[in-house]
Amino acid sequence: MKKITYFIAVATLAFASCKSKKSALEFASPGANQAVLKGSQVQLKLKFDAITMDSVAYFVDDKHVGSSTDTVAITVETKDMAYGTRNISATVYSGGKSDSVSSTFYIVPAAAKNYGFEIVNKYPHDTSAFTQGLQFADGVLYESNGRYGESNLRKVDLTTGKVLKEIKFDEKTFAEGMTLVGSKLFMLTWEQGEGYVFDKNSFTKESSFKYENSKEGWGITYDGKRLIKSDGSNKLFFLDAVTGKELSSIAVYDENGPVDQLNELEYIDGKVYANVYQKDIIAIINPETGAVEGKINLVGIYEHTSAYDNELNGIAYDQAKKRLFVTGKLWNTLYEIKAIEK
C-alpha cells in the first residue's frame, strides 16, 4: 500500500470542525466530514491568522502524536488506529498563553469486495412467515417470525416448507433474531429488552437474559465461543454464550463510514454475514476489526408484491454441505445461492 493520504467525502456525516472561540484557529488538514483509509498517512495542519507562535502540540484521541514550532504539517500513521471516529486536537502556545482547536476524522477500511449471486435451488417458504431469524441444523430449518400477535418459533422442513414444530407467542412479544448454541435456541425480542433461551427439541423456554448497552433485539448468531448480536445500529455486541451477558462491542464500517441497520446475522467461516435493513444487500463483516470486507448484492432475487414489509431477511448456512440460504419477510421462496465475485 502506498503511503499517501486517502480522503473520501462522507456526505451523510454531520460532524463539523470546532473552531476556537479565542482566535481563528482551525484544522486545514484533515478537513471535517472526511474519511481516511486505514494504513495511509494523514497530515495534521493548522490554519490560523498570523501570530507569533512558540510551538503547537497535536493530539489524536488525547494521545500526543507530535509537535512543531511552525505551521508545517506533521504526518501521522493510521495503521494502528481503530476504525471509526478519531478525535484530533491541537494546542498553540505563544507568549506564555495557549489556544486550542479540535475536530474529527474517520478511519475506514479499503473498499469491500462486491459479489453478485447465482441461484442454486429454490424451496417453498410460508408467506405468513415474517422472517427474523433463520438457522440450518440437523437437516432442518429453525425460524423465528415477528409481528405483535403473530410471532412464533418454528422447526421447518427445508424441502417442503412444512412446519414440523411451532410455538406461538402472546401479543406483547415481537420475535426477532435467533441462533443455535448446542441444544439451546437463543431468540431475541425486539423492544422488550430481553432474549429467551429454549430447548431446541421441545421448544420449552428455559431462561431469559436482559439487554444492556444494546437497546433492541435485531439479529443474533454464534461464533462457537460467543453470541454476536445486532440492535439496528452500526455495532455488533458480543455476549456470553451461557448467560447472554454483554462482554464487548465493535463498530462496523465500510469505505464510506459507519454501516448501520445491521439486522439478521449468520456466522460463516470466520465472518459475520448481516442483512442490511431495507436493502437487498448482505454485508460480510470481519468481527475482529468491524470492517465490511464484502457485499453481496441480491437486488432482483425476488419479485416483491408489496411496497413494504417484504425485506430481505434471513440467512442460514449448511456448514457440512457449504450451502447458503436466504429468504425474506413474507416471501414465498427460500433460495440457496452462491456468491459470485464481480
Side-chain angles (χ1 to χ4, degrees):
M1 182 178 293
K2 295 180 180 180
K3 293 296 184 179
I4 59 173
T5 304
Y6 183 98
F7 294 116
I8 309 170
V10 184
T12 59
L13 302 178
F15 293 98
S17 178
C18 300
K19 295 183 179 180
S20 169
K21 294 181 180 180
K22 298 179 182 179
S23 68
L25 273 180
E26 63 179 305
F27 273 95
S29 175
N33 301 341
Q34 290 187 333
V36 176
L37 180 68
K38 184 179 176 71
S40 66
Q41 296 177 332
V42 60
Q43 288 191 329
L44 304 185
K45 181 177 174 61
L46 289 180
K47 177 171 63 177
F48 50 82
D49 294 338
I51 60 172
T52 301
M53 181 183 70
D54 297 327
S55 66
V56 54
Y58 293 95
F59 302 85
V60 177
D61 293 333
D62 295 325
K63 179 182 178 181
H64 181 247
V65 293
S67 297
S68 177
T69 57
D70 53 35
T71 59
V72 175
I74 69 165
T75 300
V76 177
E77 298 286 350
T78 65
K79 62 182 180 180
D80 294 325
M81 293 184 186
Y83 294 120
T85 306
R86 305 274 63 87
N87 298 303
I88 55 175
S89 61
T91 301
V92 175
Y93 299 93
S94 179
K97 297 181 179 180
S98 65
D99 197 2
S100 298
V101 62
S102 62
S103 187
T104 60
F105 66 90
Y106 272 82
I107 297 292
V108 297
K113 292 181 179 179
N114 290 310
Y115 297 87
F117 66 93
E118 173 187 316
I119 296 175
V120 179
N121 278 308
K122 296 181 182 181
Y123 303 96
H125 183 251
D126 184 358
T127 55
S128 71
F130 199 70
T131 308
Q132 300 291 350
L134 196 65
Q135 181 86 39
F136 182 88
D138 310 319
V140 298
L141 290 166
Y142 294 88
E143 184 174 19
S144 54
N145 299 297
R147 285 184 164 172
Y148 289 112
E150 301 177 25
S151 290
N152 58 67
L153 177 64
R154 294 174 170 179
K155 181 186 291 185
V156 180
D157 181 82
L158 169 66
T159 303
T160 65
K162 180 181 178 181
V163 178
L164 304 175
K165 190 175 186 64
E166 179 182 51
I167 56 170
K168 297 181 179 181
F169 301 104
D170 62 32
E171 67 280 358
K172 295 181 180 179
T173 299
F174 193 118
E176 279 282 350
M178 171 270 304
T179 195
L180 185 65
V181 180
S183 63
K184 312 297 181 185
L185 285 167
F186 280 71
M187 191 195 82
L188 303 176
T189 63
W190 179 25
E191 298 175 306
Q192 289 175 260
E194 64 177 353
Y196 302 144
V197 183
F198 300 90
D199 178 88
K200 78 166 185 177
N201 297 313
S202 67
F203 279 12
T204 301
K205 181 181 173 183
E206 297 186 342
S207 62
S208 62
F209 58 96
K210 296 291 186 181
Y211 304 159
E212 296 171 71
N213 292 313
S214 57
K215 302 304 181 184
E216 295 183 347
W218 285 47
I220 191 167
T221 189
Y222 178 57
D223 69 0
K225 295 181 180 179
R226 306 164 298 178
L227 293 164
I228 304 174
K229 176 182 181 292
S230 64
D231 69 347
S233 68
N234 76 313
K235 286 187 175 182
L236 294 176
F237 296 85
F238 300 96
L239 282 58
D240 184 278
V242 176
T243 65
K245 181 176 177 58
E246 287 182 18
L247 305 173
S248 61
S249 65
I250 195 166
V252 176
Y253 289 83
D254 67 7
E255 66 272 22
N256 297 312
V259 178
D260 58 10
Q261 302 284 287
L262 299 174
N263 206 355
E264 213 272 323
L265 308 177
E266 184 77 8
Y267 186 80
I268 303 174
D269 296 334
K271 310 297 180 183
V272 174
Y273 285 53
N275 285 127
V276 181
Y277 180 55
Q278 294 186 325
K279 294 183 179 180
D280 288 342
I281 291 175
I282 293 175
I284 303 173
I285 304 163
N286 184 328
E288 303 305 318
T289 65
V292 175
E293 297 181 344
K295 297 177 183 178
I296 306 175
N297 187 335
L298 292 173
V299 172
I301 192 172
Y302 184 75
E303 185 176 344
H304 300 292
T305 56
S306 107
Y308 57 92
D309 283 350
N310 59 7
E311 295 90 1
L312 174 75
N313 206 43
I315 309 169
Y317 189 62
D318 177 1
Q319 180 65 45
K321 296 183 179 180
K322 307 299 181 183
R323 295 186 293 175
L324 177 61
F325 304 106
V326 298
T327 191
K329 300 173 183 176
L330 311 180
W331 287 17
N332 62 19
T333 306
L334 180 141
Y335 299 89
E336 178 188 342
I337 66 167
K338 181 179 179 181
I340 307 296
E341 187 173 354
K342 293 181 177 179

